[in-house]
Amino acid sequence: MTDPISGLLGSGESRRQPPRRPLPPQRRRSLGFGRLLLAIIVMAALVAGVIFGGKAIITDITHKAKVDDYSGTGTGTVDFTIVSGQSPDTIGSNMAAQHVVKSAAAFEKAAAADPDRAAKIQPGDYLLRLHMSGASAFNLLFDPKALNAQKFTIAEGLDLRHILPIISKATGLTVADLTNAALQPKLLGLPSWASNVQSVEGFLFPATYAPKHGTSAVAILRTMVARFNQEAAQLNLVALAHARGVTPLQAVTLASIVEKEVNQTADLRKAAAVMYNRLKDTGDFPTLGMDSTTRYALGDYTGTLTQSQISNPSPYNTRVSPGIPPGPIGNPGEATLKAVLAPVEGNYTYFIYLPKENKTVFTASSSEFNQLQQQCHVESPKTC
């Protein structure tokens, strides 16, 4: 008879699972790689979810946080200045401060939407409007009509008769208004040593200017005089003029004559020497004898001078009036002012321009000068 306990044990032993055998190494590696791949896929899915979910959140936040902005192209006018190097952020902030746009962000948003054009915003003065949308303000900066600069350039040696029409054409101011301002030098900031001049002639420094829209005639001329004062200070004009034995006003006057007499920068200092040498030698040169002054006295006459015109008793006519004229006959530039303050060393007392050779010849010999004059008359009778 079988022991029941033994039977139970026997039956239990018969149902027991055989022990597991270890997996071969190749299969273990396959399972490990599969688990790693599965982990990578799961991680990638999680990262993608974060990225796209984050983008959706940011987009939703941006959409909800709308930029404060006006609509339309605005009204009225605003003078607005952009300085070189300013970023769209700074421009937007300045626009908001002047009530051109409702917020700096409105302009920044328009600039960010068109980065190529935003990088090309030019410094300058603009005529914008109040309460513009950011996009309208941004676009207006690229409209040439919005530029609030009425630029004009004054060349060296021009006198008031030529300068004032140039300013008039650029700004819309009348020549009459500009003339009235030019004849009131006390309003224009001339240096103290020029307090007795009758006009601003000689003190409108040759350069390029860009006054804002609506600038008055007086204000424009004051700006040009201020530029002259700046240049004169840098040249030490007052001290150097006195060192040459002339007043500052006489130095400017001599420079204005030299400017009209020669056309090559290399000849300026030689021409200045002629002026000083003639002023010293009053025996042979009782007057400066410069045709440019005679023409100025006649109203910038350009034709051949007659004996009657040469005899014009104007104090500006150095054919008959001794010494230096009472004031400039034009507006000299920096190079000519420098030349008069530091002429070349030499005894030059004559010079003549030879058109055919396009050069000015300087000499201290009257006979050589007469020969050069004859040569000039033969080669170019209408000019000499």
Side-chain angles (χ1 to χ4, degrees), residues 10 34 46 54 57 71 80 83 85 87 92 106 119 134 162 201 211-212 235 254 284 287-288 303 318 320 360 368 374:
L46 288 172
I57 292 171
S71 60
F80 186 76
V83 178
S87 66
H162 294 95
E201 189 82 274
K212 289 184 178 181
L235 294 174
L254 288 174
D284 288 336
T287 67
L288 282 175
T318 61
V320 296
T360 301
E368 183 182 0
Q374 290 176 4

Side-chain angles (χ1 to χ4, degrees), residues 112-240:
D114 195 347
D116 289 340
R117 279 207 304 166
K120 298 176 182 177
I121 294 175
Q122 295 297 310
D125 296 311
Y126 293 83
L127 198 62
L128 305 182
R129 293 184 282 273
L130 290 166
H131 301 171
M132 303 180 73
S133 70
S136 294
F138 177 77
N139 290 330
L140 194 55
L141 294 181
F142 300 94
D143 185 348
K145 295 179 181 178
L147 273 174
N148 192 19
Q150 302 172 99
K151 187 179 294 185
F152 61 87
T153 299
I154 303 302
E156 290 85 350
L158 294 183
D159 58 36
L160 287 174
R161 296 181 185 91
H162 294 95
I163 290 176
L164 300 186
I166 292 172
I167 300 174
S168 174
K169 182 178 180 180
T171 64
L173 293 166
T174 66
V175 173
D177 284 344
L178 289 162
T179 300
N180 182 56
L183 295 176
Q184 301 184 70
K186 287 182 171 54
L187 299 178
L188 304 178
L190 270 65
S192 58
W193 44 262
S195 59
N196 293 326
V197 299
Q198 301 302 308
S199 80
V200 75
E201 189 82 274
F203 300 94
L204 300 181
F205 193 79
T208 296
Y209 299 90
K212 289 184 178 181
H213 178 76
T215 305
S216 69
V218 168
I220 290 175
L221 299 189
R222 281 185 66 90
T223 298
M224 299 173 75
V225 171
R227 178 65 184 277
F228 170 88
N229 291 336
Q230 177 185 352
E231 296 291 335
Q234 291 178 351
L235 294 174
N236 198 16
L237 187 147
V238 174
L240 292 180

Side-chain angles (χ1 to χ4, degrees), residues 81-93:
T81 299
I82 295 177
V83 178
S84 178
Q86 285 184 331
S87 66
D89 292 358
T90 301
I91 294 171
S93 297

